[in-house]
Amino acid sequence: MVNLLLVIGFIALGVIGYRTWQADRTPRTGPEAPVSPGSGTIEQAGPGGVLQLPPHGPNREEQDVRVRARHTYRQDDYAWLELECEAGHGTVWVDVERDDELEASVTLKRLSLEELGLTPSSLSGHQAPAKTLVVDGITFRFSEQGRARFLRESDPDQAEDVTFWDYEGDDDRHDLGIERWGDDCRAYLTERINPERIRIYSLGGTT
């Protein structure tokens, strides 16, 4: 009887061990399983992609987002991306560009020209609307102005012209962008994030 119990015990341990080994070999899916290192970058993310942004904003929290659309800005031979993402609270915009190195930023909020002390006529010339602007206690200094073609969903048939003015924050972390789309003027406060700290759960489709 004792020998029989020992045999049953060894069989049970063997079954448990086999199931544990099999579970360890099964690939994980879903948000718990980011893509393998080296298999993709934020530059390749497209509609349906799932990302986790590193801590940002006043609460310094990570944020999971799903890419809804991938837009492209083109200025002569230079191009950069805008990922339109969705999160639980609404739309999240992530800009991605490669200058000397890969850079990324997330839009924190949209601002009115009135909040900046500007008017639409301030954006009518070729000069900077202001040399410095202050937002949330941060001083932003004018860095560049230009014109670009905005390709909605990266489609040349859905192209629009945009004029932009870029400002860099003295804190070396935030930036301020002002855009003019015909008669529509927009301003955005953005925060730079380290693209290497963006976790990519899925690249989705690319354009």
Side-chain angles (χ1 to χ4, degrees), residues 61-126:
E61 294 180 347
E62 296 177 335
Q63 186 175 38
D64 291 337
V65 300
R66 180 179 295 276
V67 181
R68 181 189 303 156
R70 171 187 167 110
H71 311 298
T72 302
Y73 286 85
R74 290 195 182 278
Q75 186 182 32
D76 299 324
D77 295 330
Y78 184 66
W80 63 99
L81 303 175
E82 180 181 74
L83 300 179
E84 180 181 346
C85 306
E86 55 186 9
H89 60 80
T91 303
V92 177
W93 304 91
V94 180
D95 287 344
V96 180
E97 64 178 299
R98 185 177 290 278
D99 202 342
D100 292 327
E101 57 187 23
L102 186 61
E103 302 173 358
S105 63
V106 58
T107 297
L108 300 181
K109 62 180 177 180
R110 181 172 175 175
L111 302 163
S112 67
L113 292 186
E114 289 76 14
E115 290 177 278
L116 300 177
L118 302 175
T119 63
S121 60
S122 304
L123 309 180
S124 60
H126 298 287

